[in-house]
PDB file of all heavy atoms in Angstrom:
ATOM      1  N   PRO A   1      64.539 129.156  67.504  1.00 79.00           N
ATOM      2  CA  PRO A   1      64.730 130.605  67.291  1.00 79.00           C
ATOM      3  C   PRO A   1      66.190 131.007  67.369  1.00 79.00           C
ATOM      4  O   PRO A   1      66.946 130.502  68.203  1.00 79.00           O
ATOM      5  CB  PRO A   1      63.913 131.226  68.442  1.00 79.00           C
ATOM      6  CG  PRO A   1      62.853 130.222  68.728  1.00 79.00           C
ATOM      7  CD  PRO A   1      63.522 128.879  68.531  1.00 79.00           C
ATOM      8  N   VAL A   2      66.593 131.922  66.503  1.00 76.00           N
ATOM      9  CA  VAL A   2      67.983 132.367  66.452  1.00 76.00           C
ATOM     10  C   VAL A   2      68.180 133.583  67.353  1.00 76.00           C
ATOM     11  O   VAL A   2      67.229 134.207  67.805  1.00 76.00           O
ATOM     12  CB  VAL A   2      68.407 132.718  65.004  1.00 76.00           C
ATOM     13  CG1 VAL A   2      68.267 131.523  64.095  1.00 76.00           C
ATOM     14  CG2 VAL A   2      67.588 133.895  64.468  1.00 76.00           C
ATOM     15  N   GLU A   3      69.451 133.909  67.614  1.00 66.00           N
ATOM     16  CA  GLU A   3      69.776 135.048  68.442  1.00 66.00           C
ATOM     17  C   GLU A   3      69.353 136.352  67.756  1.00 66.00           C
ATOM     18  O   GLU A   3      69.174 136.395  66.540  1.00 66.00           O
ATOM     19  CB  GLU A   3      71.291 135.070  68.718  1.00 66.00           C
ATOM     20  CG  GLU A   3      71.800 133.866  69.511  1.00 66.00           C
ATOM     21  CD  GLU A   3      72.024 132.645  68.643  1.00 66.00           C
ATOM     22  OE1 GLU A   3      71.803 132.735  67.413  1.00 66.00           O
ATOM     23  OE2 GLU A   3      72.411 131.598  69.192  1.00 66.00           O
ATOM     24  N   ARG A   4      69.244 137.403  68.549  1.00 61.00           N
ATOM     25  CA  ARG A   4      68.718 138.656  68.005  1.00 61.00           C
ATOM     26  C   ARG A   4      69.706 139.370  67.098  1.00 61.00           C
ATOM     27  O   ARG A   4      69.311 140.034  66.152  1.00 61.00           O
ATOM     28  CB  ARG A   4      68.300 139.596  69.152  1.00 61.00           C
ATOM     29  CG  ARG A   4      67.070 139.086  69.899  1.00 61.00           C
ATOM     30  CD  ARG A   4      66.549 140.126  70.877  1.00 61.00           C
ATOM     31  NE  ARG A   4      65.320 139.666  71.484  1.00 61.00           N
ATOM     32  CZ  ARG A   4      64.113 139.777  70.949  1.00 61.00           C
ATOM     33  NH1 ARG A   4      63.981 140.335  69.771  1.00 61.00           N
ATOM     34  NH2 ARG A   4      63.038 139.337  71.563  1.00 61.00           N
ATOM     35  N   ARG A   5      70.996 139.298  67.395  1.00 56.00           N
ATOM     36  CA  ARG A   5      71.974 140.044  66.615  1.00 56.00           C
ATOM     37  C   ARG A   5      72.421 139.259  65.387  1.00 56.00           C
ATOM     38  O   ARG A   5      72.555 138.046  65.441  1.00 56.00           O
ATOM     39  CB  ARG A   5      73.181 140.396  67.490  1.00 56.00           C
ATOM     40  CG  ARG A   5      72.866 141.486  68.510  1.00 56.00           C
ATOM     41  CD  ARG A   5      74.062 141.786  69.381  1.00 56.00           C
ATOM     42  NE  ARG A   5      74.368 140.699  70.292  1.00 56.00           N
ATOM     43  CZ  ARG A   5      75.331 140.758  71.203  1.00 56.00           C
ATOM     44  NH1 ARG A   5      76.100 141.816  71.295  1.00 56.00           N
ATOM     45  NH2 ARG A   5      75.545 139.732  72.006  1.00 56.00           N
ATOM     46  N   ALA A   6      72.678 139.980  64.311  1.00 60.00           N
ATOM     47  CA  ALA A   6      73.186 139.372  63.072  1.00 60.00           C
ATOM     48  C   ALA A   6      72.320 138.193  62.653  1.00 60.00           C
ATOM     49  O   ALA A   6      72.806 137.102  62.381  1.00 60.00           O
ATOM     50  CB  ALA A   6      74.636 138.939  63.247  1.00 60.00           C
ATOM     51  N   ARG A   7      71.007 138.418  62.583  1.00 82.00           N
ATOM     52  CA  ARG A   7      70.091 137.306  62.358  1.00 82.00           C
ATOM     53  C   ARG A   7      70.253 136.664  60.990  1.00 82.00           C
ATOM     54  O   ARG A   7      70.109 135.453  60.870  1.00 82.00           O
ATOM     55  CB  ARG A   7      68.648 137.776  62.576  1.00 82.00           C
ATOM     56  CG  ARG A   7      68.324 137.964  64.045  1.00 82.00           C
ATOM     57  CD  ARG A   7      66.845 138.151  64.274  1.00 82.00           C
ATOM     58  NE  ARG A   7      66.514 137.918  65.668  1.00 82.00           N
ATOM     59  CZ  ARG A   7      65.275 137.787  66.112  1.00 82.00           C
ATOM     60  NH1 ARG A   7      64.266 137.845  65.276  1.00 82.00           N
ATOM     61  NH2 ARG A   7      65.037 137.579  67.393  1.00 82.00           N
ATOM     62  N   VAL A   8      70.494 137.452  59.942  1.00 90.00           N
ATOM     63  CA  VAL A   8      70.661 136.859  58.615  1.00 90.00           C
ATOM     64  C   VAL A   8      71.852 135.905  58.632  1.00 90.00           C
ATOM     65  O   VAL A   8      71.756 134.752  58.200  1.00 90.00           O
ATOM     66  CB  VAL A   8      70.847 137.948  57.537  1.00 90.00           C
ATOM     67  CG1 VAL A   8      71.221 137.304  56.204  1.00 90.00           C
ATOM     68  CG2 VAL A   8      69.577 138.763  57.376  1.00 90.00           C
ATOM     69  N   ASP A   9      72.983 136.381  59.153  1.00 88.00           N
ATOM     70  CA  ASP A   9      74.179 135.540  59.215  1.00 88.00           C
ATOM     71  C   ASP A   9      73.941 134.304  60.068  1.00 88.00           C
ATOM     72  O   ASP A   9      74.433 133.209  59.749  1.00 88.00           O
ATOM     73  CB  ASP A   9      75.359 136.328  59.782  1.00 88.00           C
ATOM     74  CG  ASP A   9      75.853 137.403  58.827  1.00 88.00           C
ATOM     75  OD1 ASP A   9      75.517 137.320  57.633  1.00 88.00           O
ATOM     76  OD2 ASP A   9      76.570 138.309  59.273  1.00 88.00           O
ATOM     77  N   THR A  10      73.190 134.463  61.152  1.00 86.00           N
ATOM     78  CA  THR A  10      72.925 133.333  62.042  1.00 86.00           C
ATOM     79  C   THR A  10      72.074 132.282  61.351  1.00 86.00           C
ATOM     80  O   THR A  10      72.328 131.078  61.471  1.00 86.00           O
ATOM     81  CB  THR A  10      72.226 133.808  63.332  1.00 86.00           C
ATOM     82  OG1 THR A  10      73.051 134.781  63.977  1.00 86.00           O
ATOM     83  CG2 THR A  10      72.013 132.649  64.291  1.00 86.00           C
ATOM     84  N   VAL A  11      71.058 132.714  60.610  1.00 90.00           N
ATOM     85  CA  VAL A  11      70.203 131.773  59.885  1.00 90.00           C
ATOM     86  C   VAL A  11      71.015 131.049  58.816  1.00 90.00           C
ATOM     87  O   VAL A  11      70.910 129.824  58.659  1.00 90.00           O
ATOM     88  CB  VAL A  11      68.999 132.501  59.251  1.00 90.00           C
ATOM     89  CG1 VAL A  11      68.222 131.562  58.326  1.00 90.00           C
ATOM     90  CG2 VAL A  11      68.064 133.029  60.338  1.00 90.00           C
ATOM     91  N   VAL A  12      71.832 131.792  58.088  1.00 90.00           N
ATOM     92  CA  VAL A  12      72.671 131.186  57.042  1.00 90.00           C
ATOM     93  C   VAL A  12      73.592 130.140  57.650  1.00 90.00           C
ATOM     94  O   VAL A  12      73.711 129.016  57.140  1.00 90.00           O
ATOM     95  CB  VAL A  12      73.500 132.267  56.309  1.00 90.00           C
ATOM     96  CG1 VAL A  12      74.530 131.630  55.384  1.00 90.00           C
ATOM     97  CG2 VAL A  12      72.577 133.177  55.513  1.00 90.00           C
ATOM     98  N   ARG A  13      74.245 130.496  58.751  1.00 83.00           N
ATOM     99  CA  ARG A  13      75.172 129.557  59.379  1.00 83.00           C
ATOM    100  C   ARG A  13      74.430 128.343  59.940  1.00 83.00           C
ATOM    101  O   ARG A  13      74.876 127.200  59.775  1.00 83.00           O
ATOM    102  CB  ARG A  13      75.935 130.257  60.502  1.00 83.00           C
ATOM    103  CG  ARG A  13      77.024 129.393  61.127  1.00 83.00           C
ATOM    104  CD  ARG A  13      77.904 130.203  62.064  1.00 83.00           C
ATOM    105  NE  ARG A  13      77.164 130.761  63.187  1.00 83.00           N
ATOM    106  CZ  ARG A  13      76.869 132.041  63.331  1.00 83.00           C
ATOM    107  NH1 ARG A  13      77.259 132.923  62.416  1.00 83.00           N
ATOM    108  NH2 ARG A  13      76.198 132.469  64.375  1.00 83.00           N
ATOM    109  N   ARG A  14      73.285 128.565  60.580  1.00 86.00           N
ATOM    110  CA  ARG A  14      72.534 127.462  61.186  1.00 86.00           C
ATOM    111  C   ARG A  14      72.093 126.448  60.138  1.00 86.00           C
ATOM    112  O   ARG A  14      72.304 125.239  60.291  1.00 86.00           O
ATOM    113  CB  ARG A  14      71.315 128.046  61.903  1.00 86.00           C
ATOM    114  CG  ARG A  14      70.348 127.023  62.509  1.00 86.00           C
ATOM    115  CD  ARG A  14      70.762 126.565  63.872  1.00 86.00           C
ATOM    116  NE  ARG A  14      70.762 127.638  64.838  1.00 86.00           N
ATOM    117  CZ  ARG A  14      69.648 128.124  65.435  1.00 86.00           C
ATOM    118  NH1 ARG A  14      68.471 127.612  65.138  1.00 86.00           N
ATOM    119  NH2 ARG A  14      69.729 129.076  66.331  1.00 86.00           N
ATOM    120  N   ILE A  15      71.462 126.934  59.071  1.00 90.00           N
ATOM    121  CA  ILE A  15      70.959 126.009  58.045  1.00 90.00           C
ATOM    122  C   ILE A  15      72.114 125.436  57.233  1.00 90.00           C
ATOM    123  O   ILE A  15      72.131 124.245  56.903  1.00 90.00           O
ATOM    124  CB  ILE A  15      69.934 126.720  57.147  1.00 90.00           C
ATOM    125  CG1 ILE A  15      68.705 127.117  57.978  1.00 90.00           C
ATOM    126  CG2 ILE A  15      69.515 125.815  55.986  1.00 90.00           C
ATOM    127  CD1 ILE A  15      67.645 127.881  57.208  1.00 90.00           C
ATOM    128  N   GLY A  16      73.108 126.283  56.923  1.00 86.00           N
ATOM    129  CA  GLY A  16      74.257 125.797  56.165  1.00 86.00           C
ATOM    130  C   GLY A  16      75.011 124.708  56.911  1.00 86.00           C
ATOM    131  O   GLY A  16      75.400 123.689  56.312  1.00 86.00           O
ATOM    132  N   ASP A  17      75.213 124.900  58.212  1.00 80.00           N
ATOM    133  CA  ASP A  17      75.898 123.879  59.009  1.00 80.00           C
ATOM    134  C   ASP A  17      75.110 122.571  59.006  1.00 80.00           C
ATOM    135  O   ASP A  17      75.690 121.483  58.912  1.00 80.00           O
ATOM    136  CB  ASP A  17      76.075 124.355  60.453  1.00 80.00           C
ATOM    137  CG  ASP A  17      77.151 125.426  60.595  1.00 80.00           C
ATOM    138  OD1 ASP A  17      77.856 125.697  59.601  1.00 80.00           O
ATOM    139  OD2 ASP A  17      77.284 125.986  61.697  1.00 80.00           O
ATOM    140  N   ALA A  18      73.783 122.653  59.128  1.00 85.00           N
ATOM    141  CA  ALA A  18      72.942 121.453  59.161  1.00 85.00           C
ATOM    142  C   ALA A  18      73.019 120.703  57.829  1.00 85.00           C
ATOM    143  O   ALA A  18      73.008 119.470  57.803  1.00 85.00           O
ATOM    144  CB  ALA A  18      71.499 121.841  59.472  1.00 85.00           C
ATOM    145  N   ILE A  19      73.118 121.441  56.732  1.00 86.00           N
ATOM    146  CA  ILE A  19      73.229 120.801  55.412  1.00 86.00           C
ATOM    147  C   ILE A  19      74.584 120.110  55.282  1.00 86.00           C
ATOM    148  O   ILE A  19      74.679 118.956  54.845  1.00 86.00           O
ATOM    149  CB  ILE A  19      73.027 121.832  54.291  1.00 86.00           C
ATOM    150  CG1 ILE A  19      71.570 122.334  54.292  1.00 86.00           C
ATOM    151  CG2 ILE A  19      73.379 121.229  52.930  1.00 86.00           C
ATOM    152  CD1 ILE A  19      71.330 123.527  53.379  1.00 86.00           C
ATOM    153  N   GLU A  20      75.650 120.811  55.657  1.00 77.00           N
ATOM    154  CA  GLU A  20      76.997 120.241  55.563  1.00 77.00           C
ATOM    155  C   GLU A  20      77.112 118.967  56.393  1.00 77.00           C
ATOM    156  O   GLU A  20      77.774 118.003  55.994  1.00 77.00           O
ATOM    157  CB  GLU A  20      78.031 121.266  56.045  1.00 77.00           C
ATOM    158  CG  GLU A  20      78.131 122.525  55.196  1.00 77.00           C
ATOM    159  CD  GLU A  20      79.084 122.369  54.030  1.00 77.00           C
ATOM    160  OE1 GLU A  20      79.561 121.232  53.805  1.00 77.00           O
ATOM    161  OE2 GLU A  20      79.351 123.375  53.361  1.00 77.00           O
ATOM    162  N   LEU A  21      76.441 118.958  57.548  1.00 76.00           N
ATOM    163  CA  LEU A  21      76.545 117.829  58.468  1.00 76.00           C
ATOM    164  C   LEU A  21      75.633 116.672  58.094  1.00 76.00           C
ATOM    165  O   LEU A  21      75.820 115.554  58.557  1.00 76.00           O
ATOM    166  CB  LEU A  21      76.217 118.315  59.886  1.00 76.00           C
ATOM    167  CG  LEU A  21      76.503 117.395  61.062  1.00 76.00           C
ATOM    168  CD1 LEU A  21      77.962 116.958  61.069  1.00 76.00           C
ATOM    169  CD2 LEU A  21      76.162 118.090  62.370  1.00 76.00           C
ATOM    170  N   GLY A  22      74.655 116.938  57.226  1.00 79.00           N
ATOM    171  CA  GLY A  22      73.732 115.889  56.836  1.00 79.00           C
ATOM    172  C   GLY A  22      72.503 115.794  57.707  1.00 79.00           C
ATOM    173  O   GLY A  22      71.714 114.854  57.580  1.00 79.00           O
ATOM    174  N   LEU A  23      72.300 116.769  58.621  1.00 83.00           N
ATOM    175  CA  LEU A  23      71.068 116.784  59.407  1.00 83.00           C
ATOM    176  C   LEU A  23      69.875 117.083  58.514  1.00 83.00           C
ATOM    177  O   LEU A  23      68.749 116.663  58.804  1.00 83.00           O
ATOM    178  CB  LEU A  23      71.162 117.833  60.523  1.00 83.00           C
ATOM    179  CG  LEU A  23      72.127 117.504  61.669  1.00 83.00           C
ATOM    180  CD1 LEU A  23      72.252 118.691  62.601  1.00 83.00           C
ATOM    181  CD2 LEU A  23      71.665 116.268  62.416  1.00 83.00           C
ATOM    182  N   LEU A  24      70.105 117.837  57.459  1.00 88.00           N
ATOM    183  CA  LEU A  24      69.092 118.080  56.433  1.00 88.00           C
ATOM    184  C   LEU A  24      69.557 117.338  55.182  1.00 88.00           C
ATOM    185  O   LEU A  24      70.667 117.547  54.706  1.00 88.00           O
ATOM    186  CB  LEU A  24      68.935 119.577  56.161  1.00 88.00           C
ATOM    187  CG  LEU A  24      68.496 120.421  57.367  1.00 88.00           C
ATOM    188  CD1 LEU A  24      68.453 121.899  56.999  1.00 88.00           C
ATOM    189  CD2 LEU A  24      67.141 119.968  57.891  1.00 88.00           C
ATOM    190  N   ALA A  25      68.700 116.490  54.661  1.00 86.00           N
ATOM    191  CA  ALA A  25      69.098 115.582  53.585  1.00 86.00           C
ATOM    192  C   ALA A  25      69.151 116.280  52.234  1.00 86.00           C
ATOM    193  O   ALA A  25      68.405 117.236  51.978  1.00 86.00           O
ATOM    194  CB  ALA A  25      68.125 114.403  53.513  1.00 86.00           C
ATOM    195  N   ASP A  26      70.021 115.800  51.375  1.00 88.00           N
ATOM    196  CA  ASP A  26      70.124 116.320  50.017  1.00 88.00           C
ATOM    197  C   ASP A  26      68.772 116.170  49.314  1.00 88.00           C
ATOM    198  O   ASP A  26      68.179 115.087  49.304  1.00 88.00           O
ATOM    199  CB  ASP A  26      71.195 115.538  49.259  1.00 88.00           C
ATOM    200  CG  ASP A  26      71.542 116.175  47.928  1.00 88.00           C
ATOM    201  OD1 ASP A  26      71.443 117.406  47.808  1.00 88.00           O
ATOM    202  OD2 ASP A  26      71.920 115.431  47.003  1.00 88.00           O
ATOM    203  N   GLY A  27      68.258 117.263  48.741  1.00 91.00           N
ATOM    204  CA  GLY A  27      66.968 117.235  48.058  1.00 91.00           C
ATOM    205  C   GLY A  27      65.773 117.464  48.956  1.00 91.00           C
ATOM    206  O   GLY A  27      64.643 117.593  48.467  1.00 91.00           O
ATOM    207  N   GLU A  28      65.990 117.523  50.266  1.00 93.00           N
ATOM    208  CA  GLU A  28      64.877 117.729  51.199  1.00 93.00           C
ATOM    209  C   GLU A  28      64.282 119.125  51.033  1.00 93.00           C
ATOM    210  O   GLU A  28      65.010 120.106  50.870  1.00 93.00           O
ATOM    211  CB  GLU A  28      65.378 117.554  52.632  1.00 93.00           C
ATOM    212  CG  GLU A  28      64.332 117.815  53.699  1.00 93.00           C
ATOM    213  CD  GLU A  28      64.860 117.584  55.107  1.00 93.00           C
ATOM    214  OE1 GLU A  28      65.930 116.940  55.250  1.00 93.00           O
ATOM    215  OE2 GLU A  28      64.211 118.044  56.065  1.00 93.00           O
ATOM    216  N   GLN A  29      62.969 119.214  51.088  1.00 94.00           N
ATOM    217  CA  GLN A  29      62.310 120.508  50.983  1.00 94.00           C
ATOM    218  C   GLN A  29      62.248 121.171  52.354  1.00 94.00           C
ATOM    219  O   GLN A  29      61.828 120.556  53.339  1.00 94.00           O
ATOM    220  CB  GLN A  29      60.893 120.370  50.422  1.00 94.00           C
ATOM    221  CG  GLN A  29      60.205 121.723  50.214  1.00 94.00           C
ATOM    222  CD  GLN A  29      58.879 121.600  49.483  1.00 94.00           C
ATOM    223  OE1 GLN A  29      58.390 120.495  49.247  1.00 94.00           O
ATOM    224  NE2 GLN A  29      58.298 122.725  49.116  1.00 94.00           N
ATOM    225  N   LEU A  30      62.690 122.419  52.413  1.00 94.00           N
ATOM    226  CA  LEU A  30      62.601 123.181  53.653  1.00 94.00           C
ATOM    227  C   LEU A  30      61.150 123.596  53.895  1.00 94.00           C
ATOM    228  O   LEU A  30      60.360 123.675  52.950  1.00 94.00           O
ATOM    229  CB  LEU A  30      63.487 124.417  53.584  1.00 94.00           C
ATOM    230  CG  LEU A  30      64.999 124.176  53.457  1.00 94.00           C
ATOM    231  CD1 LEU A  30      65.727 125.504  53.283  1.00 94.00           C
ATOM    232  CD2 LEU A  30      65.532 123.430  54.670  1.00 94.00           C
ATOM    233  N   PRO A  31      60.782 123.866  55.143  1.00 93.00           N
ATOM    234  CA  PRO A  31      59.436 124.387  55.395  1.00 93.00           C
ATOM    235  C   PRO A  31      59.182 125.669  54.596  1.00 93.00           C
ATOM    236  O   PRO A  31      60.128 126.362  54.201  1.00 93.00           O
ATOM    237  CB  PRO A  31      59.454 124.674  56.905  1.00 93.00           C
ATOM    238  CG  PRO A  31      60.510 123.764  57.455  1.00 93.00           C
ATOM    239  CD  PRO A  31      61.558 123.693  56.385  1.00 93.00           C
ATOM    240  N   GLY A  32      57.911 125.975  54.343  1.00 92.00           N
ATOM    241  CA  GLY A  32      57.568 127.197  53.625  1.00 92.00           C
ATOM    242  C   GLY A  32      58.095 128.431  54.342  1.00 92.00           C
ATOM    243  O   GLY A  32      58.389 128.391  55.543  1.00 92.00           O
ATOM    244  N   GLU A  33      58.214 129.530  53.607  1.00 92.00           N
ATOM    245  CA  GLU A  33      58.847 130.730  54.159  1.00 92.00           C
ATOM    246  C   GLU A  33      58.179 131.206  55.440  1.00 92.00           C
ATOM    247  O   GLU A  33      58.859 131.523  56.420  1.00 92.00           O
ATOM    248  CB  GLU A  33      58.833 131.850  53.113  1.00 92.00           C
ATOM    249  CG  GLU A  33      59.851 131.646  52.001  1.00 92.00           C
ATOM    250  CD  GLU A  33      59.934 132.845  51.076  1.00 92.00           C
ATOM    251  OE1 GLU A  33      59.151 133.818  51.280  1.00 92.00           O
ATOM    252  OE2 GLU A  33      60.763 132.835  50.155  1.00 92.00           O
ATOM    253  N   SER A  34      56.846 131.272  55.465  1.00 92.00           N
ATOM    254  CA  SER A  34      56.153 131.773  56.658  1.00 92.00           C
ATOM    255  C   SER A  34      56.390 130.852  57.847  1.00 92.00           C
ATOM    256  O   SER A  34      56.687 131.305  58.957  1.00 92.00           O
ATOM    257  CB  SER A  34      54.648 131.899  56.390  1.00 92.00           C
ATOM    258  OG  SER A  34      54.411 132.860  55.384  1.00 92.00           O
ATOM    259  N   GLU A  35      56.276 129.547  57.610  1.00 94.00           N
ATOM    260  CA  GLU A  35      56.480 128.587  58.703  1.00 94.00           C
ATOM    261  C   GLU A  35      57.922 128.628  59.195  1.00 94.00           C
ATOM    262  O   GLU A  35      58.176 128.650  60.409  1.00 94.00           O
ATOM    263  CB  GLU A  35      56.137 127.176  58.239  1.00 94.00           C
ATOM    264  CG  GLU A  35      56.362 126.126  59.329  1.00 94.00           C
ATOM    265  CD  GLU A  35      56.193 124.703  58.837  1.00 94.00           C
ATOM    266  OE1 GLU A  35      55.729 124.510  57.688  1.00 94.00           O
ATOM    267  OE2 GLU A  35      56.543 123.781  59.600  1.00 94.00           O
ATOM    268  N   LEU A  36      58.879 128.631  58.255  1.00 93.00           N
ATOM    269  CA  LEU A  36      60.286 128.607  58.641  1.00 93.00           C
ATOM    270  C   LEU A  36      60.674 129.880  59.374  1.00 93.00           C
ATOM    271  O   LEU A  36      61.388 129.834  60.384  1.00 93.00           O
ATOM    272  CB  LEU A  36      61.159 128.406  57.394  1.00 93.00           C
ATOM    273  CG  LEU A  36      62.664 128.246  57.619  1.00 93.00           C
ATOM    274  CD1 LEU A  36      62.954 127.155  58.641  1.00 93.00           C
ATOM    275  CD2 LEU A  36      63.361 127.938  56.301  1.00 93.00           C
ATOM    276  N   ALA A  37      60.200 131.028  58.896  1.00 92.00           N
ATOM    277  CA  ALA A  37      60.485 132.289  59.581  1.00 92.00           C
ATOM    278  C   ALA A  37      59.928 132.268  60.999  1.00 92.00           C
ATOM    279  O   ALA A  37      60.589 132.705  61.954  1.00 92.00           O
ATOM    280  CB  ALA A  37      59.894 133.458  58.792  1.00 92.00           C
ATOM    281  N   GLY A  38      58.711 131.733  61.151  1.00 92.00           N
ATOM    282  CA  GLY A  38      58.103 131.657  62.477  1.00 92.00           C
ATOM    283  C   GLY A  38      58.886 130.755  63.413  1.00 92.00           C
ATOM    284  O   GLY A  38      59.096 131.073  64.589  1.00 92.00           O
TER     285      GLY A  38
END
């Protein structure tokens, strides 16, 4: 779960950082919207 303030920016930074670092693989499918939001 992300922090309460600036949640859109926090989600963008969290997932973007993971992609840049290779924690999430190129071409990998993210969880569905409902699951990921939860």
Side-chain angles (χ1 to χ4, degrees):
V2 300
E3 297 81 1
R4 291 189 175 277
R5 288 179 290 184
R7 286 192 162 192
V8 172
D9 290 342
T10 302
V11 172
V12 171
R13 186 170 62 252
R14 175 85 63 79
I15 296 178
D17 286 353
I19 292 170
E20 296 273 7
L21 191 55
L23 290 173
L24 299 177
D26 190 30
E28 177 178 344
Q29 184 172 8
L30 296 175
E33 285 187 357
S34 296
E35 179 187 351
L36 185 52

